[in-house]
Amino acid sequence: MIQLQNLSFAYKKKLILNGLTLDFEPGHVYGLLGKNGTGKSSLLRNIAGLLRPQRGSIKVNGHTPFDRLPLFLEDVFMVPEEFYLPDVPVSNFIAYYAPFYPRFEVEQFRKYISIFEIPEDNTLQNMSYGQKKKVLISFALATRARVLLMDEPTNGLDIISKSQFRKIMAEAMDDDQCIIISTHQVKDLEHLIDRITIIDEGRILFNETMDSIARKLSFRFAHGPEDIATAYYNESSFGGTVVVTHNTTGEESKVDLEFLYKAIVTNPATSKSFHQ
Amino acid sequence: MNQFFAQKRFSLLVLKHWADNKKRYTLSLLAYVGLLITWFTFGLIIMGIPEGSGLPEEVQRTTFFFSLFAVGTFYASQYFSDLGSREKGSHFLLVPASHFEKLLCSVFFTMILFPLLLIACFYLVDIIMVAIANSFSANRPNGGRSTVTNIFEVALINFNSKRAIYLLPFSLSITSLFLLGSVYFKKYNFIKTIITGFVVCLLFFFLVYVVTQHILPEKADDYYFSKIAHWFPTFVQVLAYAVAPLSWVAAYYVLKGKQV
């Protein structure tokens, strides 16, 4: 569905993405993790066709994104972290924007905004940032675009809205859709994401499915000092020391994305263990 | 569906642009009508009625063309200014329509709808104000009658009775340059376009100077120029009007390569 081949991108002379080669397949929700400024947003903007790669290529459903052909644009929807919505009531927004998307489902949109508790007669500019974001997320899902790109979708959402977001996302996902979510708030999306991609210094540091992570790694409290010493990562917490360690028992533990991220970024042996 | 141009998508784009901006556009037109009424009333009170000159055609023409150039160029320079902002630029570029349709929509609003509405508003006020001026001058023994001006026959350059560069279509060329500036520059589109235009004009005058002083023969008198007189007006006329389509083509390619 999305193929990146040796993709490099730079802002002026600052290299942001450095030779990424990666495929994103339909039927998955990808979690894109990485430090600030490592190129997560730039990658999404390259895939959406807003930026042009310096080297390499991107193919999305067979299209080159930067051509920005209407057929490509109606099948790819991006929810940026900072976004703009026109000063019109929600009903007008649907009336004038939805017809651009041939598979748009108005009833689904109404359902999503009612779950988010957004009144349809409100003008978008009079809404809070969080409310606007909920409208945009609802719109994005209702387009039935096969590629959904979300940059920090839970930023600005309150606690209740975050759980509403998870509920809506779980309900809206289709097997022919590929969803890429770039986020720092991994806890919000733990149950949605089924594949983790970590970018660091413009390169792919880690790219595995949640099943494979659960099989290979164990997330638990340490049994003793030796357990801590052999762990890929350890961190003291209230109940004791949490470790991310090699799964030797074959018993799958619940993947903690925050600890996984820290283990991958701080200890290269963690990602190497997946290729042994 | 055609990926370069589709009537349906273009119509949707025009409707969307209108829906997004109708409040602003309606208020701007009302403000223009209000300003015209105020300006003409002021003119009549200060000079037209006391001096019996009514509403001279020069005043009407100057008023119209000043507003056409000033407002038209400013409007055109703002059309693509959203591309200077990451949020608004992303919103604009990700709407599922082709670059050609987006550019055509800008041409429709800035070069067709805007002048038509401006002309309509102008004549709406002008006809009434001329009638008012004439009703006052009718009561004066030496009061001359004002006539409603015909803005379509105002020429920038009159080569002869058959050939001229008319100001109204020429305004589209100037507006097109500002539209190109709007998509090319990230910020301060209006000011940067004016500065660029100024620099280009200076270079052009310098070029003319070099050609006349150093390239043409020393004895380039009236007879010499009369030899080129048969094609020179056509050349200038084509140049004056060709700026518009050339600017659109340039704007299309700049828009196509735009990154936000």
Side-chain angles (χ1 to χ4, degrees):
Chain A
M1 180 164 256
I2 303 173
Q3 289 96 31
L4 312 180
Q5 271 296 328
N6 195 28
L7 174 74
S8 293
F9 174 78
Y11 277 115
K12 292 180 181 166
K13 284 182 181 172
K14 194 187 171 207
L15 193 63
I16 306 289
L17 302 173
N18 189 7
L20 299 190
T21 296
L22 190 63
D23 282 1
F24 294 98
E25 298 298 334
H28 292 285
V29 180
Y30 291 84
L32 198 58
L33 312 181
K35 287 182 242 170
N36 289 326
T38 48
K40 301 186 299 296
S41 299
S42 300
L43 176 60
L44 295 187
R45 296 178 90 77
N46 268 278
I47 295 172
L50 292 169
L51 296 172
R52 177 167 41 194
Q54 261 80 24
R55 273 191 288 118
S57 69
I58 311 176
K59 287 283 175 196
V60 178
N61 298 326
H63 296 284
T64 301
F66 196 69
D67 291 343
R68 294 193 287 248
L69 294 180
L71 202 60
F72 162 80
L73 293 171
E74 66 195 29
D75 217 9
V76 175
F77 198 97
M78 183 173 180
V79 179
E81 186 179 7
E82 296 297 330
F83 57 90
Y84 165 80
L85 287 176
D87 184 14
V88 292
V90 176
S91 52
N92 279 16
F93 183 63
I94 293 307
Y96 294 108
Y97 282 74
F100 284 102
Y101 299 89
R103 291 181 296 283
F104 194 90
E105 292 177 356
V106 178
E107 282 316 308
Q108 288 301 105
F109 174 79
R110 295 220 163 91
K111 188 179 159 189
Y112 300 147
I113 61 164
S114 85
I115 294 174
F116 274 136
E117 296 164 13
I118 303 285
E120 208 175 313
D121 52 348
N122 266 21
T123 300
L124 289 166
Q125 288 301 312
N126 292 334
M127 290 182 182
S128 67
Y129 172 79
Q131 284 179 312
K132 280 196 251 187
K133 193 151 210 173
K134 289 185 228 175
V135 171
L136 190 63
I137 290 168
S138 304
F139 188 91
L141 294 171
T143 61
R144 314 306 304 167
R146 282 188 293 161
V147 175
L148 268 183
L149 309 169
M150 296 183 159
D151 197 357
E152 300 289 354
T154 54
N155 260 12
L157 299 190
D158 56 45
I159 296 166
I160 301 288
S161 302
K162 282 177 184 176
S163 73
Q164 289 166 337
F165 170 76
R166 284 191 291 268
K167 185 184 166 195
I168 289 174
M169 284 291 289
E171 202 183 297
M173 283 186 308
D174 264 348
D175 285 346
D176 69 341
Q177 274 185 315
C178 171
I179 303 176
I180 306 176
I181 304 175
S182 157
T183 186
H184 291 292
Q185 304 188 32
V186 284
K187 291 273 179 202
D188 295 342
L189 305 166
E190 238 163 23
H191 300 290
L192 281 177
I193 293 167
D194 57 16
R195 196 170 181 113
I196 298 292
T197 305
I198 298 176
I199 297 184
D200 196 44
E201 306 286 334
R203 291 178 178 278
I204 303 287
L205 200 60
F206 183 80
N207 181 32
E208 293 293 335
T209 62
M210 289 293 267
D211 290 343
S212 143
I213 297 165
R215 272 198 309 273
K216 294 249 177 174
L217 298 178
S218 180
F219 299 80
R220 56 178 170 76
F221 284 107
H223 299 315
E226 197 185 321
D227 210 9
I228 294 170
T230 56
Y232 294 123
Y233 179 78
N234 70 80
E235 188 176 306
S236 300
S237 75
F238 278 120
T241 301
V242 178
V243 289
V244 179
T245 184
H246 192 69
N247 186 2
T248 48
T249 61
E251 197 180 317
E252 290 185 13
S253 59
K254 184 178 169 289
V255 176
D256 186 310
L257 288 181
E258 209 172 295
F259 285 120
L260 170 74
Y261 176 73
K262 288 173 182 170
I264 298 288
V265 169
T266 57
N267 186 354
T270 317
S271 48
K272 278 181 191 157
S273 71
F274 281 79
H275 307 294
Q276 285 164 1
Chain B
M1 210 185 283
N2 191 316
Q3 295 300 293
F4 185 71
F5 180 78
Q7 174 67 41
K8 188 188 166 197
R9 273 197 314 262
F10 177 66
S11 310
L12 287 174
L13 208 55
V14 170
L15 284 173
K16 181 194 86 66
H17 183 84
W18 175 252
D20 289 353
N21 296 283
K22 64 182 173 192
K23 228 184 266 179
R24 191 158 62 102
Y25 289 172
T26 310
L27 285 173
S28 303
L29 279 176
L30 288 174
Y32 177 65
V33 168
L35 271 172
L36 269 184
I37 293 172
T38 311
W39 168 243
F40 282 153
T41 307
F42 178 75
L44 281 177
I45 291 171
I46 298 296
M47 289 174 71
I49 297 171
E51 294 178 10
S53 56
L55 205 54
E57 277 200 62
E58 290 74 30
V59 173
Q60 296 172 49
R61 287 174 178 185
T62 310
T63 303
F64 173 75
F65 283 106
F66 176 76
S67 52
L68 178 69
F69 278 95
V71 183
T73 52
F74 184 73
Y75 172 41
S77 73
Q78 295 306 299
Y79 191 91
F80 287 111
S81 61
D82 282 358
L83 292 171
S85 135
R86 184 183 266 208
E87 296 86 43
K88 289 182 175 178
S90 306
H91 174 82
F92 179 85
L93 291 175
L94 293 179
V95 170
S98 69
H99 296 111
F100 178 72
E101 288 154 353
K102 286 171 185 172
L103 181 79
L104 202 63
C105 186
S106 74
V107 170
F108 172 75
F109 275 96
T110 59
M111 319 262 166
I112 298 172
L113 197 64
F114 167 76
L116 285 179
L117 288 174
L118 200 81
I119 291 168
C121 288
F122 174 78
Y123 274 121
L124 178 76
V125 175
D126 194 50
I127 291 168
I128 294 169
M129 296 309 285
V130 166
I132 291 171
N134 286 338
S135 73
F136 278 105
S137 62
N139 302 329
R140 295 172 62 93
N142 298 325
R145 285 191 66 78
S146 301
T147 50
V148 173
T149 189
N150 183 358
I151 52 161
F152 300 97
E153 65 178 20
V154 181
L156 178 68
I157 303 171
N158 252 321
F159 294 109
N160 51 50
S161 59
K162 285 182 184 169
R163 199 182 290 277
I165 295 174
Y166 291 98
L167 205 49
L168 194 60
F170 178 69
S171 74
L172 297 184
S173 291
I174 301 298
T175 310
S176 300
L177 287 173
F178 278 83
L179 193 71
L180 173 60
S182 163
V183 67
Y184 185 78
F185 296 115
K186 264 191 171 181
K187 280 182 180 174
Y188 311 115
N189 317 54
F190 186 61
I191 297 165
K192 284 182 179 173
T193 310
I194 290 175
I195 293 170
T196 310
F198 179 68
V199 171
V200 170
C201 283
L202 273 184
L203 288 173
F204 177 73
F205 292 141
F206 178 72
L207 186 73
V208 170
Y209 174 79
V210 170
V211 169
T212 52
Q213 294 296 310
H214 302 286
I215 297 175
L216 290 181
E218 266 185 47
K219 288 184 179 177
D221 52 10
D222 287 351
Y223 172 73
Y224 183 88
F225 285 110
S226 71
K227 285 200 289 188
I228 61 167
H230 65 283
W231 63 264
F232 187 70
T234 312
F235 172 72
V236 175
Q237 201 175 27
V238 168
L239 193 70
Y241 295 142
V243 170
L246 289 175
S247 303
W248 301 343
V249 172
Y252 170 75
Y253 284 104
V254 178
L255 183 62
K256 214 168 173 300
K258 205 76 187 172
Q259 301 188 64
V260 291

